[in-house]
Amino acid sequence: MDWKAVSPYNPKLDLKDCYLYDTTLRDGEQTPGVCFAGDQKLEIAKKLDELKIKQIEAGFPIVSENERKAIKSITGEGLNAQILALSRVLKEDIDKAIECDVDGIITFIATSPMHLKYKLHKNLDEVEEMGMKAVEYAKDHGLFVAFSAEDATRTPLEDIIRIHKNAEEHGADRVHIADTLGCATPQAMYHICSELSKHLKKAHIGVHCHNDFGFAVINSIYGLIGGAKAVSTTVNGIGERAGNAAIEEIAMALKVLYDHDMGLNTEILTEISKLVENYSKIKIPENKPLVGEMVFYHESGIHVDAVLENPLTYEPFLPEKIGQKRKIILGKHSGCRAVAHRLQELGLEASRDELWEIVKKTKETREDGTEISDEVFKNIAEKIIK
């Protein structure tokens, strides 16, 4: 049996050299109310490294001394992933990042007319000059440099091309299209990335998508289709406002639906999801795609009958591939096959008439408001089986 079941209409993408860089420890931590302790940051970083993420954005060094200590503990761990830090286009920010022994920085400044007028009170030429000086300064210190145009998806395309082409000429290794408000459509992200890619010679394009309209994952994928090489992610999709592109959704959508394996150790996705859930204190909905507690649970009799024959009838891939587990739930929709399966698991034998009676009583019990735990089910069965 194969491990996945997908639509024959899905395209196979040629995404050579594409990779993910994770910002759980920076943008994820900027979720209101989230504050990772230093040892928690280190543990998450180590787990991201085990996941085989190429780059980890470990934090924002200028924020505090404790932030710098946490980042330095990560850079001192000898992880395989490159460790990046965020900095504004300011020398003092870059110097603080250098003090943390990071491999590179993501330096950013806003470029949209809205941000220029109401936040920065500068024109684009002034902002561009600040950005180029920052890129040049960081490159002079031997860093990997990604230049990010904040609010890029509300910036005129000619300005996006101009400033990112200039960043490449000043040594930027990667330039970012930041959908800061999550207001781009997949078609817009594709168009921006495809047009920008025509004007760059070697710098990679990265996409950093927010989820305000629920488009972060699909926008990221359309960015890749348009020519981007890197995607910014967070575990569980945490981040400011509605969050960022969820790493588990990006990784598995590409692997399962688009037949492109990013080379990640996906079997620990659920483990790292629960780790971040615990430390962030942001509860994962039980039906959250892929890593939710109940997404591989089955109750409906029609579904259960088929799943017991072949799980791929009602599962897009085998749950073990991301460290999940399948579970047959008993309730008002359960049929004989599910009940017989649970009886067998509990080591109980019932005649056909007894089985029908157990099914009937199970349905009635659930409709009366009682959840069918193993203990409840066992009590039902033992009262009926003679």
Side-chain angles (χ1 to χ4, degrees), residues 3 24 68 100 104 174 190 214 229 305 320 367 372:
W3 66 274
T24 302
R68 292 190 286 278
C100 295
R174 190 169 69 221
Y190 171 84
K229 292 291 187 183
D305 287 358
E320 296 81 8
E367 287 180 318
I372 310 299

Side-chain angles (χ1 to χ4, degrees), residues 239-279:
E240 294 182 353
R241 301 183 315 281
N244 294 43
I247 190 171
E248 61 276 6
E249 295 175 24
I250 287 277
M252 294 309 291
L254 290 173
K255 186 173 184 177
V256 178
L257 304 179
Y258 290 96
D259 200 26
H260 178 78
D261 194 335
M262 302 290 274
L264 300 179
N265 177 19
T266 60
E267 292 184 3
I268 68 166
L269 279 172
T270 299
E271 181 183 353
I272 192 170
S273 170
K274 292 185 182 303
L275 180 69
V276 171
E277 176 187 35
N278 183 33
Y279 289 159

